[in-house]
Amino acid sequence: MQKNEDGTVTIGIGLISVGWMGQLHSRAYANLRYAYPELGIRPRLVHAADPAPDRAREAVDVLGYERASADYREVLADPEVDAVSICAPNFLHAEIAIAAARAGKHFWIEKPVGRGEDETAAVAEAAAAAGVVTSIGFNYRHAPAIEHLRRLVADGTLGRITNVRGRMFADYSADPRGALSWRFVRSLAGSGVLGDLMGHLVDLVQYTLGPIAEVSALTSTVYAERPELPMGTGTHFAVIEDGVMKPVENEDYAAMLVRLSGDARAGGAVGTLEASRVAVGPRASYALEVYGTEGSAIWDFERMNELQLAAGRGDARQGYARVMADAAMGDFARFQPGAGTSMGYDDLKVIEAKKFLMAVAGREALNSNISDALSAARVVSAAERSAAGRSWEAAGSVVGTTAAHAAPGTTAAHAAPRTTGTTDHGGESA
């Protein structure tokens, strides 16, 4: 990291894997100076790695990296690289992240960080030992409407939060001819839709409302076989005719009953969360509904620049009003001049890059971090245990997350009282 005479800071960037997400990270770095010129942070795209020669060339010729390699270890050994984006497939995340930490490189990594709680915990341990900054690809939390919802919960506009509903419904594998990529192989991906989509939903709930304490879950695999997709070809959106059929090893659908912890901003609230990668109809319906004693709010990523808000009771016109994202919400004004001119998915990654590099530069730490990833992984792990044993399972707390904890002086007594009938979860199932 170099401090320049004009007061700006140059941070050397490395990229590991030049697929769609690697391209997106690179564009986010490039757009940082336009969205946040006053930060004085100048990402320098130094070194990219990808074993595919055409992608390595693309990193230099199109994305603007100064050099490229086939081996990610060369990026981590490069003294001009200060921070790396880890955008490789899930089964390589833990290996690369631990190596990055040991090399003293700050890293921004896509989720899930590991193929389960154990791998994620190993990454967290390595990052803590090295003292490096970490940031996680929980991009949906950066939507201005979500930031506004978090504030509505915190300032009491919705009253005491009683329950939450969330869904992550995608159709990328709705076609039974959808390719069996690495995402469907347990040794490569770990869990299926639990890690891929439910992890995002868990983060949204914990960021806006607070830590999840316990879960009861069920899962199902809708398509037991799919046509095989050779490694390194196509994407998980590919459809294959007359391919060799291979077994799907993880779940297509998952559902959870959840209870938030007593120190959550919405302590004691309960909820239902669902995730599916085979839904027919929803394209990317990633939604959160929050209900309180004084109002409720609904957000859906398919209309990410809107929030449906019902605030106050007893009004003759009571009902939902459409609130458009505007300059008062999150970082909206960095991208658009006024409500009605929409932000997009890529903009959320620019916000993510900004928060990551601010932390790398030693400024305010507003980024998600490895503790957030470990917390989400523990909830997912608890859901897997619950689905297998048809039981309620504790998620376990994690120190250092950015979850919405209760304000100082607030206790679980502010939450809804738990009756005798809800304290014993023995034998219950979702």
Side-chain angles (χ1 to χ4, degrees):
M1 187 162 58
Q2 177 182 328
K3 293 186 178 180
N4 306 311
E5 292 183 0
D6 62 0
T8 61
V9 176
T10 298
I11 300 175
I13 300 297
L15 172 64
I16 297 173
S17 189
V18 191
W20 168 66
M21 188 56 69
Q23 297 165 11
L24 184 52
H25 277 227
S26 302
R27 293 198 300 271
Y29 289 128
N31 288 329
L32 190 70
R33 67 166 61 203
Y34 305 114
Y36 303 96
E38 80 289 351
L39 289 183
I41 295 176
R42 300 290 181 260
R44 174 189 164 205
L45 305 185
V46 175
H47 200 155
D50 198 293
D54 58 333
R55 287 185 171 180
R57 286 193 301 271
E58 179 186 4
V60 175
D61 297 343
V62 178
L63 301 179
Y65 286 85
E66 296 172 12
R67 46 191 173 272
S69 303
D71 191 333
Y72 76 82
R73 296 170 185 84
E74 294 188 39
V75 174
L76 299 183
D78 193 323
E80 296 183 64
V81 171
D82 304 305
V84 295
S85 278
I86 301 173
C87 303
N90 294 3
F91 60 91
L92 294 173
H93 279 186
E95 171 191 324
I96 296 172
I98 291 170
R102 290 174 177 170
K105 308 297 186 185
H106 310 292
F107 60 87
W108 174 15
I109 186 170
E110 284 303 310
K111 44 57 57 194
V113 169
R115 289 170 292 185
E117 179 183 347
D118 290 345
E119 282 193 352
T120 308
V123 174
E125 183 178 350
V132 296
V133 171
T134 59
S135 196
I136 316 301
F138 289 134
N139 38 268
Y140 302 107
R141 60 158 58 189
H142 307 302
I146 285 292
E147 295 284 17
H148 185 58
L149 174 55
R150 190 174 195 248
R151 189 171 65 190
L152 293 175
V153 171
D155 68 16
T157 298
L158 303 183
R160 174 172 57 83
I161 304 304
T162 57
N163 60 292
V164 58
R165 295 176 62 193
R167 67 178 178 273
M168 287 270 170
F169 281 3
D171 70 343
Y172 63 78
S173 298
D175 193 321
R177 299 167 300 162
L180 189 139
S181 68
W182 57 264
R183 293 175 184 271
F184 300 88
V185 181
R186 184 161 286 277
S187 63
L188 300 180
S191 63
V193 77
L194 273 170
D196 189 21
L197 294 181
M198 188 69 86
H200 267 305
L201 184 53
V202 168
D203 181 69
L204 270 183
V205 170
Q206 298 197 137
Y207 182 65
T208 56
L209 303 177
I212 293 172
E214 52 186 342
V215 306
S216 179
L218 60 80
T219 62
S220 68
T221 302
V222 176
Y223 296 111
E225 292 185 323
R226 290 184 177 276
E228 185 178 27
L229 178 72
M231 183 67 70
T233 64
T235 72
H236 62 288
F237 292 95
V239 173
I240 298 177
E241 298 283 357
D242 302 321
V244 177
M245 303 298 287
K246 293 292 182 69
V248 173
E249 299 177 359
N250 49 31
E251 73 287 343
D252 289 332
Y253 170 87
M256 296 194 297
L257 297 177
V258 302
R259 189 184 304 278
L260 273 63
S261 71
D263 68 342
R265 180 73 71 178
V270 296
T272 59
L273 308 181
E274 290 182 279
S276 174
R277 61 189 180 191
V278 295
V280 177
R283 308 308 306 268
S285 184
Y286 305 156
L288 192 65
E289 304 178 13
V290 178
Y291 297 89
T293 56
E294 300 296 329
S296 61
I298 301 173
W299 176 81
D300 190 333
F301 176 67
E302 289 187 343
R303 303 176 73 96
M304 66 169 266
N305 291 279
E306 301 178 12
L307 189 69
Q308 300 295 320
L309 178 62
R313 291 181 287 112
D315 192 310
R317 296 168 296 175
Q318 184 172 331
Y320 286 103
R322 183 176 67 156
V323 178
M324 300 294 291
D326 62 18
M329 299 183 189
D331 284 19
F332 183 89
R334 298 293 181 162
F335 301 90
Q336 300 297 350
T341 305
S342 298
M343 285 176 58
Y345 178 88
D346 286 23
D347 298 327
L348 303 183
K349 283 299 185 184
V350 178
I351 298 172
E352 207 166 277
K354 180 261 294 192
K355 292 181 177 181
F356 172 50
L357 294 186
M358 280 182 64
V360 169
R363 302 179 190 175
E364 189 175 12
L366 301 173
N367 53 304
S368 59
N369 57 55
I370 191 62
S371 294
D372 293 308
L374 180 57
S375 181
R378 285 187 174 174
V379 173
V380 167
S381 180
E384 289 192 287
R385 296 194 306 272
S386 173
R390 297 192 175 191
S391 60
W392 278 87
E393 296 288 336
S397 61
V398 177
V399 176
T401 72
T402 59
H405 289 279
T410 304
T411 68
H414 292 86
R418 295 177 62 173
T419 66
T420 302
T422 59
T423 56
D424 181 8
H425 299 306
E428 291 187 38
S429 67

